[in-house]
C-alpha cells in the first residue's frame, strides 16, 4: 500500500509520550522527519536526553503503529540538531500545564550557565497559579523534570525543565 | 598518529569518564540518603551512560573494525581505559564525597562540552550540544550539595572538608594532555584543556567560598596518567563488576 506523508505524521501524532501521556511524541518534538517511498517509511527521531530510557519504547511504538498499517518502517536515531523544549508549541505547553506539569520557559543562554540566577521570577503552580512555590529537587521522576512544591495549595508538582 | 586514531582516542576518553562515573553514581541507586537524591543520582548516571553511548559508538565507527559500543565498554581491560583517576575513586558510601567527585568532574566536563560545541567535527559538536545541557544540571545540583554540606552542620562541614582533602590530589590530572590533544587542537577538533583551567578554578572557587571550604595548599601530591592507561587500584574492581555479565555470557544481548 502507499500512504501520504501527512497520514504518517497523523498516525505518529496519536502515539502518546510514554512518560507524559498528555502530549504526543510529535508534540514533544522527538519525531524530526518522515520520508515515504511506496510502502516504506523512514522516521527520523531524536532523544530528549542522551540517556532517556523511554527512547527505545518510543521507537518500538512507532514501528508497531506503522507496521500494523502494513508499512515497512525504519527508524533512524539522529542527534543533530539537539532536542530542545523550545520545539514544543504554546498549545502543547498548555496541555502540560492542564496535566499538572509546569511547562518549560523559553530556553535562554543563561540556562546554560550552572550558577545562573533566573530573571524570570518564580515558577507558577500549574494547579492554582500561585507564585509561592519552591524547588524540592532538580531531578524528578525523570531526568527532564524537576520537583517543586506549592506553598499555597500545598501540592507537590513537576516542572518540565528548559532544555 | 593519524587524525582518525587521535579522534577515536579522544572519544574513548570522554566515554570512559562518563561510563565510570555513571557506574559510581549508579552504586547509589536504592541507597540514596533521601528518595529525591536516590532519583537524582540515578538520573545523573543515566545522562552519563547516554553520553558514553554516543561517544563509544562514534569511536567504534572511527575504528571501523566491527567493534560496537558494548565491545568498547565491556571488553577492554584497565590499562586500555583512558578515563581520569578522579572518576574511579570510591566514595565509601559517603554522600558528600560522591557529590564532590561529580562536582569537580562536571565543572570540567561542562567547560569542555561548551568549547566542543564549536568543534570542527560535526559529530563531536552535535553530541556536545546535547551533553552540555545535562552536565549544566549536574554542576548545579552537585554544587548545591557541596554548599549545603560545607555550610551546614559541624559534622557535615568536617566530613566534606575531609572529602576535599581526599579528592584534591586527582584534580591536576583532569588537565593532563598528550599527543592526541596536540593533534586535535591544531585541527580545531578538540579544546586545549590548559585554556579551561582558570574557568574551572573560578567555578570551584565560587562554590567553595559559599561552602566555606578551603582548597588544600598547592604543591601536594597529585595523581597522574589516566589518559595513558595508568589507574588507581579501584578501576579494576569497577570493571570486574561492570564487565562480569558480558564476559561470563558473551552471547547475552540487551
Ligand atoms: Zn498551587
Amino acid at each position: 500500500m502507499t500512504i501520504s506523508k501527512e497520514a504518517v505524521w497523523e498516525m505518529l501524532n496519536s502515539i502518546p509520550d510514554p512518560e507524559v501521556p498528555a502530549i504526543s511524541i510529535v508534540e514533544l518534538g522527538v519525531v524530526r522527519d518522515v520520508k515515504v517511498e511506496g510502502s516504506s517509511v523512514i522516521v527520523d527521531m531524536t532523544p530528549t536526553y542522551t540517556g532517556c530510557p523511554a527512547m527505545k519504547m518510543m521507537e518500538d511504538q512507532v514501528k508497531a503503529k506503522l507496521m500494523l498499517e502494513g508499512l515497512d518502517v525504519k527508524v533512524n536515531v539522529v542527534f543533530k540538531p539537539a532536542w530542545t523544549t523550545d520545539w514544543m508549541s504554546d498549545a502543547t505547553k498548555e496541555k502540560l500545564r492542564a496535566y499538572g506539569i509546569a511547562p518549560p520557559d523559553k530556553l535562554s543562554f543563561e540556562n546554560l550557565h550552572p550558577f545562573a540566577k533566573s530573571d524570570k521570577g518564580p515558577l507558577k503552580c500549574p494547579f492554582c497559579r500561585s507564585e509561592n512555590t519552591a524547588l524540592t529537587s532538580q531531578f524528578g521522576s525523570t531526568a527532564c523534570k524537576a520537583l517543586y512544591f506549592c506553598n499555597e495549595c500545598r501540592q507537590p508538582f513537576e516542572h518540565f525543565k528548559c532544555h | 598518529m593519524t587524525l582518525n586514531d587521535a579522534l577515536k582516542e579522544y572519544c574513548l576518553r570522554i566515554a570512559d569518564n562518563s561510563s565510570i562515573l555513571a557506574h559510581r553514581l549508579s552504586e547509589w541507586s536504592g541507597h540514596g540518603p533521601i528518595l529525591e537524591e536516590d532519583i537524582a543520582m540515578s538520573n545523573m548516571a543515566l545522562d552519563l551512560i547516554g553520553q558514553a553511548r554516543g561517544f563509544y559508538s562514534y569511536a567504534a565507527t572511527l575504528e571501523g573494525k566491527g567493534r560496537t559500543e558494548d565491545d568498547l565498554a565491556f571488553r577492554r581491560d584497565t590499562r586500555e581505559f583512558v578515563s581520569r583517576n578522579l572518576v574511579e575513586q570510591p566514595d565509601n558510601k559517603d554522600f558528600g564525597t560522591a557529590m564532590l567527585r561529580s562536582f569537580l568532574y562536571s565543572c570540567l566536563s561542562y567547560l569542555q562540552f561548551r568549547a566542543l560545541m564549536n568543534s570542527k567535527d560535526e559529530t563531536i559538536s552535535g553530541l556536545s550540544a546535547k551533553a552540555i545541557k545535562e552536565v549544566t544540571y549536574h554542576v548545579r545540583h552537585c554544587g548545591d550539595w557541596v554548599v549545603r554540606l560545607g555550610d551546614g552542620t559541624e559534622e557535615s562541614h568536617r566530613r566534606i572538608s575531609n572529602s576535599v582533602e581526599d579528592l584534591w590530589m586527582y584534580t591536576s590530572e583532569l588537565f593532563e594532555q598528550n599527543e592526541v590533544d596536540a593533534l586535535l587542537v591544531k585541527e580545531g577538533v578538540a579544546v586545549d584543556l590548559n585554556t579551561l583551567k582558570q574557568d574551572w578554578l573560578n567555578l570551584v572557587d565560587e562554590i567553595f567560598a559559599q561552602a566555606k571550604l578551603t582548597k588544600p595548599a598547592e604543591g601536594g601530591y597529585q595523581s597522574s596518567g589516566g589518559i595513558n592507561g595508568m589507574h588507581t587500584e579501584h578501576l579494576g574492581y569497577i570493571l570486574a563488576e561492570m564487565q562480569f555479565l558480558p564476559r561470563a555470557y558473551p552471547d547475552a544481548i540487551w
Side-chain angles (χ1 to χ4, degrees):
Chain A
M1 71 172 271
T2 55
I3 191 160
S4 74
K5 231 195 231 190
E6 291 70 29
V8 174
W9 275 104
E10 207 165 299
M11 278 187 234
L12 297 178
N13 199 27
S14 70
I15 302 175
D17 172 354
E19 282 168 350
V20 188
I23 62 173
S24 79
I25 58 169
V26 171
E27 291 171 316
L28 180 66
V30 297
V31 180
R32 299 314 304 155
D33 196 18
V34 171
K35 291 183 203 80
V36 178
E37 274 172 39
S39 64
S40 308
V41 178
I42 300 174
V43 181
D44 284 353
M45 296 180 73
T46 194
T48 51
Y49 282 60
T50 49
C52 180
M55 188 60 201
K56 179 81 175 66
M57 188 170 172
M58 291 194 259
E59 261 182 76
D60 290 347
Q61 284 176 327
V62 165
K63 284 181 192 157
K65 182 100 197 168
L66 298 179
M67 271 153 67
L68 280 176
E69 302 291 327
L71 299 161
D72 285 330
V73 196
K74 193 170 170 276
V75 172
N76 274 334
V77 178
V78 295
F79 288 97
K80 214 176 172 172
W83 178 82
T84 163
T85 43
D86 283 357
W87 291 346
M88 284 192 242
S89 69
D90 287 345
T92 301
K93 289 180 181 177
E94 177 52 29
K95 283 189 190 175
L96 283 177
R97 199 205 53 76
Y99 186 66
I101 296 174
D105 279 325
K106 241 188 146 30
L107 185 69
S108 63
F109 185 72
E110 293 80 69
N111 290 117
L112 282 186
H113 191 282
F115 309 140
K117 301 276 178 281
S118 171
D119 55 354
K120 295 194 182 93
L123 193 70
K124 267 198 191 115
C125 168
F127 302 110
C128 72
R129 315 255 176 154
S130 162
E131 292 189 344
N132 184 10
T133 60
L135 176 71
T136 315
S137 176
Q138 294 281 3
F139 296 90
S141 56
T142 63
C144 54
K145 294 189 234 91
L147 275 180
Y148 277 77
F149 187 77
C150 175
N151 294 318
E152 206 61 45
C153 70
R154 312 300 292 166
Q155 276 268 40
F157 66 91
E158 290 191 303
H159 167 48
F160 208 117
K161 296 187 276 197
C162 270
H163 198 76
Chain B
M1 180 177 271
T2 66
L3 190 60
N4 194 69
D5 288 348
L7 193 51
K8 176 198 144 193
E9 189 73 8
Y10 195 74
C11 291
L12 276 181
R13 242 189 247 168
I14 298 176
D16 284 347
N17 282 323
S18 307
S19 156
I20 299 300
L21 187 58
H23 187 88
R24 280 297 187 216
L25 282 165
S26 74
E27 290 171 346
W28 285 85
S29 293
H31 301 275
I34 50 171
L35 183 60
E36 284 78 5
E37 280 320 297
D38 201 292
I39 292 168
M41 291 168 108
S42 304
N43 272 325
M44 288 191 282
L46 266 178
D47 285 343
L48 290 166
I49 289 168
Q51 291 163 22
R53 287 192 62 186
F55 284 96
Y56 277 138
S57 297
Y58 189 36
T61 309
L62 290 163
E63 183 182 63
K65 288 184 186 157
R67 288 208 283 183
T68 66
E69 51 177 300
D70 282 347
D71 294 328
L72 293 175
F74 299 117
R75 301 290 173 87
R76 283 154 65 237
D77 212 343
T78 43
R79 288 299 304 271
E80 293 167 89
F81 266 71
V82 285
S83 46
R84 308 285 177 183
N85 287 180
L86 174 68
V87 294
E88 72 210 32
Q89 294 312 306
D91 49 54
N92 302 314
K93 283 284 171 285
D94 181 89
F95 176 72
T97 305
M99 284 296 119
L100 181 68
R101 181 183 57 207
S102 279
F103 172 71
L104 294 171
Y105 177 73
S106 304
C107 285
L108 176 63
S109 175
Y110 162 77
L111 295 167
Q112 191 179 8
F113 283 135
R114 197 175 67 176
L116 290 179
M117 281 163 69
N118 301 317
S119 168
K120 286 203 175 132
D121 184 278
E122 278 219 348
T123 307
I124 299 273
S125 67
L127 289 169
S128 301
K130 231 174 152 38
I132 188 165
K133 299 187 196 174
E134 297 158 359
V135 173
T136 303
Y137 273 102
H138 300 186
V139 176
R140 194 179 293 166
H141 185 75
C142 299
D144 275 354
W145 273 107
V146 171
V147 172
R148 276 207 228 180
L149 295 171
D151 189 22
T153 65
E154 211 171 292
E155 182 187 350
S156 72
H157 180 80
R158 174 175 54 76
R159 286 174 61 176
I160 190 112
S161 299
N162 288 341
S163 310
V164 173
E165 291 293 330
D166 289 344
L167 293 180
W168 196 256
M169 70 173 91
Y170 303 103
T171 52
S172 298
E173 195 233 344
L174 293 175
F175 297 89
E176 278 182 355
Q177 308 189 95
N178 59 18
E179 69 276 12
V180 169
D181 303 79
L183 190 64
L184 296 178
V185 169
K186 206 172 70 197
E187 297 293 329
V189 171
V191 53
D192 182 352
L193 295 179
N194 289 316
T195 63
L196 305 180
K197 192 149 197 183
Q198 192 54 49
D199 288 340
W200 179 84
L201 271 173
N202 292 345
L203 290 173
V204 171
D205 283 343
E206 186 173 341
I207 288 300
F208 275 25
Q210 290 176 46
K212 304 191 164 71
L213 289 169
T214 39
K215 285 181 303 203
E218 268 182 61
Y221 171 77
Q222 285 287 333
S223 181
S224 166
I227 56 170
N228 297 318
M230 304 299 288
H231 295 278
T232 59
E233 64 176 306
H234 309 293
L235 182 64
Y237 292 100
I238 294 178
L239 295 187
E241 186 181 346
M242 203 173 100
Q243 299 183 337
F244 167 78
L245 198 137
R247 286 186 188 267
Y249 304 96
D251 300 327
I253 53 166
W254 293 104

